[in-house]
Amino acid sequence: VLLPAVLFGFLAAENGREFKYGFSYTLMVPEEAEFTGQEAYPETAMTYVRVLRPQEETLSALAETFSLSGTPEKEGDSFVLRTADAYLSVFPDYGWIYSMRSPTGLPNERPADEIAAEAEAFLRQYDLWADGLQAAEVNETPGVNPDGTERSSGKQVVYAADEADHTVTGWLSVFFDNSGIYEVSSSLYRYAPYREAKLASPGE
């Protein structure tokens, strides 16, 4: 049933369009393409398909990763799992957020490289790391608690996907307060090559 839906989506979609069946694609044009004039243009480009799992399956896998138990609930368009000291939510776009406890909201004043190293070690420990992530960016962040209340400044470590890598997009964020890591969120998406597409010359 899904295969015809995917094929139909490719025929009907524009670049980057989201399909109601849960699939999306992106068209990668070769870097050597020159569109400033009519002298050179690529003949083909590769199409990549986003690799997705259902929300409930994603939540179940993450719950196992973080050793959480309980019954997921539907909250709006998201699936949520709450425990006494943790909160896990998977969004409709398949991004997710995991809060390990209520933050105290005090800033973490350790050196940025030390904080980034701890964030990377955490992501690798739980097999959340992805090849091709860019060097960490450490920011000040006010942030909010899962219940929507504001907190004082802390630190946010962001690892973004390399724009030149066509197999992964988005970023991972790790949040710190004075006690260390308290939250991690992901909008990281993986793509798999689908097929080459023939391109029209400029003006056609």
Side-chain angles (χ1 to χ4, degrees):
V1 174
L2 289 177
L3 184 56
V6 177
L7 295 177
F8 172 79
F10 278 114
L11 292 174
E14 297 177 356
N15 185 23
R17 175 179 172 182
E18 298 284 342
F19 308 140
K20 68 177 181 179
Y21 301 103
F23 295 88
S24 69
Y25 81 96
T26 184
L27 194 63
M28 298 302 180
V29 178
E31 292 182 0
E32 62 270 18
E34 297 181 12
F35 291 99
T36 55
Q38 299 291 324
E39 297 179 0
Y41 58 89
E43 294 184 355
T44 62
M46 178 58 72
T47 307
Y48 288 79
V49 182
R50 186 187 290 185
V51 180
L52 298 175
R53 292 188 298 187
Q55 279 178 276
E56 290 177 280
E57 185 179 325
T58 300
L59 186 141
S60 178
L62 288 168
E64 183 176 349
T65 294
F66 295 120
S67 300
L68 302 177
S69 59
T71 303
E73 301 175 0
K74 193 77 186 309
E75 196 170 272
D77 292 330
S78 300
F79 279 94
V80 175
L81 178 61
R82 288 184 175 87
T83 68
D85 54 5
Y87 171 91
L88 175 63
S89 178
V90 178
F91 308 125
D93 64 355
Y94 303 92
W96 54 268
I97 185 170
Y98 170 53
S99 297
M100 289 170 275
R101 58 180 173 77
S102 297
T104 59
L106 298 175
N108 193 311
E109 298 300 342
R110 290 182 296 157
D113 57 348
E114 185 179 321
I115 292 176
E118 184 178 338
E120 181 175 340
F122 176 89
L123 295 172
R124 290 186 182 277
Q125 175 187 349
Y126 289 99
D127 198 26
L128 302 173
W129 187 259
D131 292 336
L133 292 178
Q134 300 278 48
E137 180 179 320
V138 182
N139 305 311
E140 298 282 345
T141 177
V144 294
N145 298 320
D147 63 2
T149 57
E150 295 184 356
R151 64 179 179 81
S152 302
S153 295
K155 301 288 186 180
Q156 176 193 29
V157 182
V158 180
Y159 292 92
D162 187 345
E163 293 184 0
D165 185 350
H166 305 329
T167 62
V168 61
T169 62
W171 58 85
L172 287 168
S173 295
V174 182
F175 295 86
F176 287 76
D177 66 6
N178 67 323
S179 299
I181 297 172
Y182 72 87
E183 186 172 284
V184 58
S185 63
S186 171
S187 63
L188 207 62
Y189 302 108
R190 302 176 192 277
Y191 288 76
Y194 176 66
R195 66 180 181 188
E196 279 196 331
K198 186 169 180 60
L199 301 179
S201 61
E204 290 186 6

